[in-house]
């Protein structure tokens, strides 16, 4: 009875349920967690990106669906000056913002919206700068505030961005979620209503889906935007059924309550392959899962302690037990599928005696007590944070390190770890733009410490010099050599234990057409349909 009551409630919530599940006009996606907000300017996690950047918003330029190729979006064209310091974007005309029960636009998208969106993150005098804490991890972690010298409105449909110095990945960065375009008119309305915080949680964009409602930890509902500037979505409604447990997601897929599920459990993959009603997709992941050590907290400022922990963790055992071999052991902070990966780097071997010796040399012959924060949601780079934490706990106990395992709900986990409250924390990253800078600078650069995306809180001048120099040049061969040297420094200094580069899986009903695995890790539904 309880199961039937739950199903009936779910159907009523969607207002489109028939005997075999959701109607053909409603696409249901079983997501793994709750978004931290509905504005990609203030989020960094894939869960939030899927619920906002890929549904509600657009950027000036975007990645072609299913690839890392840059294509026009809200900007129909752009010019770059010879000195690589000025980017002029010609905006697409006729782009409409969403009409909702809380906002009715009176004009189309123009240069004012672009300037407002970027100034919100860079201008401390902007009334929205400190809203939601004023934390812009991507923008600050990538040093965009120092990079962008000026943004000017040339005319209603032309924006010119001037840089302080050349930046090789700048255009690719513009296609990333955090550079989404918001409505200035909506922002102005919220100021009059004294509801500034709504801009991040009750969103308005130009994207293929309009936000309708969110019941925390339960469901997000969207409707197709009929006035979308591009090709309209092929379903009328989209629902994110928030389902943290991978086995429950699989059950919902089998019963027709969901059409597509994220991050299936490795233990269920064989069963999915045998099910004639299910299609299992897989692809190489542009990702890395890692354990970050907070170098600003004792004893992790000690290099030998960090090296000892690298020797103590049995990574091949994690690949077998947690990923069921659907991943590769990681040794570098970026995956082997990205250019400039340094395969010549030698990893720390699993060596308990060496780890004990290093701890002794560091002044901890009997070990110490600490914490590991374990991932609370299923992510492509770590399908089971709790189990991995238990295995890490057992491994570190062998060298005298007594570990307490701690976790929080996903939004709290991200917020507290960004603030540096952890000792050691499980995290990971899926590349956003196909450039090594997105791993090496965004996750390990000095500006990323204050921004909150450098969870090791590690700032090394030699490493920083190499990755910053690589930003300033466009020659791929020269950039590659600099990044390879940076990876050597990372390995020697050991601020992380890189764990795995995983294969990405998605499972979906055979009725689903038009879905692709995105190499940049997003779940994108603008082309999905139900046959």
């Amino acid at each position: 009875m309880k199961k039937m009551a739950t199903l009936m409630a779910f159907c009523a919530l969607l207002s489109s349920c028939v005997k075999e599940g959701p109607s053909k006009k409603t696409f249901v996606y079983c997501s793994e967690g709750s978004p931290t907000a509905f504005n990609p300017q203030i989020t960094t996690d894939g869960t939030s990106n899927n619920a906002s950047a890929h549904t509600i918003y657009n950027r000036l330029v975007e990645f072609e669906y299913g690839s890392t190729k840059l294509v026009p979006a809200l900007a129909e064209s752009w010019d770059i000056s010879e000195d690589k310091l000025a980017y002029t974007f010609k905006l697409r005309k006729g782009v409409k913002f969403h009409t909702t029960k809380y906002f009715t636009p009176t004009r189309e998208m123009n240069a004012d919206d672009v300037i407002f969106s970027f100034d919100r993150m860079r201008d401390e005098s902007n009334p929205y700068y400190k809203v939601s804490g004023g934390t812009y991890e991507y923008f600050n972690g990538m040093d965009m505030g120092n990079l962008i010298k000026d943004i000017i409105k040339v005319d209603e449909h032309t924006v010119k961005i001037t840089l302080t110095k050349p930046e090789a990945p700048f255009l690719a960065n513009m296609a990333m979620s955090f550079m989404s375009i918001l409505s200035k008119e909506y922002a102005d309305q919220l100021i009059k209503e004294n509801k500034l915080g709504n801009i991040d949680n009750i969103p308005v964009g130009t994207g293929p889906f309009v936000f309708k409602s969110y019941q925390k930890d339960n469901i997000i509902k969207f409707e197709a935007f009929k006035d979308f500037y591009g090709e309209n979505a092929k379903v009328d409604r989209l629902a994110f059924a928030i389902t943290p447990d991978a086995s429950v997601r699989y059950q919902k897929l089998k019963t027709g309550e969901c059409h597509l599920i994220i991050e299936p459990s490795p233990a269920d993959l064989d069963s999915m392959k045998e099910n004639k009603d299910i299609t299992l997709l897989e692809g190489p992941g542009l990702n890395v899962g890692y354990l970050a050590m907070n170098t600003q907290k004792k004893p992790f400022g000690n290099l030998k302690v960090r090296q000892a922990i690298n020797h103590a963790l049995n990574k091949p055992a994690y690949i077998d037990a947690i990923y069921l071999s659907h991943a590769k052991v990681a040794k570098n902070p970026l995956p082997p599928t990205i250019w400039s990966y340094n395969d010549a780097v030698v990893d720390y071997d699993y060596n308990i005696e060496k780890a004990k010796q290093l701890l002794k040399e560091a002044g901890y012959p009997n070990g110490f007590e600490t914490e590991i924060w374990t991932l609370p949601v299923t992510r492509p780079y770590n399908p089971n944070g709790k189990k991995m934490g238990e295995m890490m706990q057992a491994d570190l106990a062998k060298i005298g390190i007594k570990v307490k395992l701690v976790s929080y709900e996903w939004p709290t986990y991200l917020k507290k770890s960004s603030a540096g409250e952890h000792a050691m924390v499980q995290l990971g990253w899926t590349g956003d733009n196909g450039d090594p800078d997105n791993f090496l600078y965004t996750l390990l650069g000095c500006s990323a410490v204050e921004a909150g995306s450098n969870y090791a809180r590690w700032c090394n001048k030699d490493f920083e010099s190499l990755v910053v120099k690589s930003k300033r040049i466009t020659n791929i061969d020269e950039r590659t050599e600099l990044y390879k040297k940076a990876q050597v420094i990372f390995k020697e200094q050991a601020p992380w234990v890189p764990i795995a580069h995983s294969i990405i899986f998605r499972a979906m009903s055979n009725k689903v057409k038009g879905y692709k695995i995105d190499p940049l890790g997003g779940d994108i539904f603008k082309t999905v349909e139900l046959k």
Side-chain angles (χ1 to χ4, degrees), residues 217-284:
D217 301 329
N218 187 4
I219 194 163
I220 312 168
K221 294 198 286 185
F222 307 89
E223 282 188 359
F225 182 35
K226 301 304 182 184
D227 291 322
F228 181 56
Y229 76 86
E231 185 177 351
N232 284 346
K234 298 183 183 300
V235 293
D236 290 337
R237 291 172 294 275
L238 172 67
F240 282 31
I242 299 166
T243 314
D245 189 287
S247 62
V248 176
R249 291 197 295 274
Y250 183 29
Q251 289 302 316
K252 286 185 175 183
L253 178 63
K254 288 193 289 186
T255 60
E257 292 178 64
C258 292
H259 295 114
L260 186 144
I261 67 173
I262 191 173
E263 309 306 339
S265 168
D268 290 330
L269 295 177
D270 288 342
S271 172
M272 291 175 179
K273 290 175 182 177
E274 295 171 359
N275 191 321
K276 61 181 177 59
D277 296 321
I278 290 173
T279 298
L280 183 66
L281 302 178
E282 67 177 89

Side-chain angles (χ1 to χ4, degrees), residues 151-399:
I151 305 175
I152 61 171
K153 175 181 177 179
V154 178
D155 58 45
E156 285 292 301
H157 291 91
T158 310
V159 173
K160 183 178 180 181
I161 301 177
T162 305
L163 307 183
T164 57
K165 46 192 173 274
E167 176 87 351
F170 179 71
L171 201 58
N173 293 346
M174 292 292 288
M176 289 169 57
S177 297
F178 76 100
M179 297 303 274
S180 292
I181 304 304
L182 283 62
S183 166
K184 183 180 186 299
E185 188 179 16
Y186 179 48
D188 291 342
Q189 174 184 305
L190 293 176
I191 290 174
K192 293 177 183 177
E193 297 172 352
N194 196 27
K195 297 179 179 178
L196 279 71
N198 284 8
I199 201 165
D200 297 327
N201 297 295
I202 306 177
V204 169
T206 59
F209 293 96
V210 181
F211 175 81
K212 298 300 290 183
S213 65
Y214 170 45
Q215 292 186 11
K216 190 175 186 300
D217 301 329
N218 187 4
I219 194 163
I220 312 168
K221 294 198 286 185
F222 307 89
E223 282 188 359
F225 182 35
K226 301 304 182 184
D227 291 322
F228 181 56
Y229 76 86
E231 185 177 351
N232 284 346
K234 298 183 183 300
V235 293
D236 290 337
R237 291 172 294 275
L238 172 67
F240 282 31
I242 299 166
T243 314
D245 189 287
S247 62
V248 176
R249 291 197 295 274
Y250 183 29
Q251 289 302 316
K252 286 185 175 183
L253 178 63
K254 288 193 289 186
T255 60
E257 292 178 64
C258 292
H259 295 114
L260 186 144
I261 67 173
I262 191 173
E263 309 306 339
S265 168
D268 290 330
L269 295 177
D270 288 342
S271 172
M272 291 175 179
K273 290 175 182 177
E274 295 171 359
N275 191 321
K276 61 181 177 59
D277 296 321
I278 290 173
T279 298
L280 183 66
L281 302 178
E282 67 177 89
L286 195 70
N287 62 48
V288 61
Y290 61 88
L291 179 73
M293 292 167 275
N294 189 339
T295 59
Q296 292 182 350
K297 285 189 175 181
K298 291 183 178 180
F300 304 106
N302 189 313
L303 173 59
K304 290 187 176 181
V305 169
R306 301 197 301 269
Q307 291 175 332
I309 290 172
N310 269 269
H311 279 297
L313 297 184
N314 188 356
K315 295 191 289 188
Y318 307 162
I319 300 297
D320 291 340
I322 296 168
Y323 302 84
L324 300 186
S325 301
H326 298 296
K328 295 180 179 179
V329 169
K331 62 180 180 180
N332 291 327
L334 74 172
T337 49
I338 201 167
W339 60 272
S340 83
Y341 179 83
N342 191 345
D343 199 31
V345 165
V346 178
D347 201 6
Y348 294 91
D349 62 329
Y350 174 57
N351 190 325
I352 294 297
E353 293 307 312
K354 179 66 174 175
K356 287 180 177 179
Q357 180 61 33
L358 284 165
L359 270 190
K360 183 178 180 181
E361 293 173 10
Y364 297 93
N366 300 314
F368 53 88
E369 295 184 7
T370 189
E371 292 181 347
I372 290 178
W373 291 10
T374 62
L375 206 67
V377 294
T378 305
R379 300 304 299 144
Y381 46 74
N382 185 346
N384 194 330
K386 185 175 184 292
K387 184 174 182 179
M388 183 180 289
E390 291 167 351
M391 294 183 74
M392 289 176 167
Q393 184 183 51
D395 282 343
L396 293 176
K398 296 173 187 176
I399 62 171

Side-chain angles (χ1 to χ4, degrees), residues 136-155:
Y136 308 102
E137 279 190 40
Y138 263 125
F139 191 84
N140 293 328
M142 300 173 73
D143 208 26
M144 295 288 275
N146 291 322
L147 176 65
I148 297 175
K149 181 179 180 180
D150 197 15
I151 305 175
I152 61 171
K153 175 181 177 179
V154 178
D155 58 45

Side-chain angles (χ1 to χ4, degrees), residues 424-443:
M424 293 190 283
V425 62
Q426 295 175 354
L427 273 165
W429 192 256
T430 298
D432 295 290
N433 60 15
D435 195 291
D437 175 79
N438 184 238
F439 286 85
L440 299 179
Y441 192 78
T442 302
L443 302 181

Side-chain angles (χ1 to χ4, degrees), residues 413-425:
Y413 188 90
L414 289 172
K415 183 178 180 180
K416 291 172 78 70
S417 55
S418 291
E421 295 181 25
H422 59 284
M424 293 190 283
V425 62

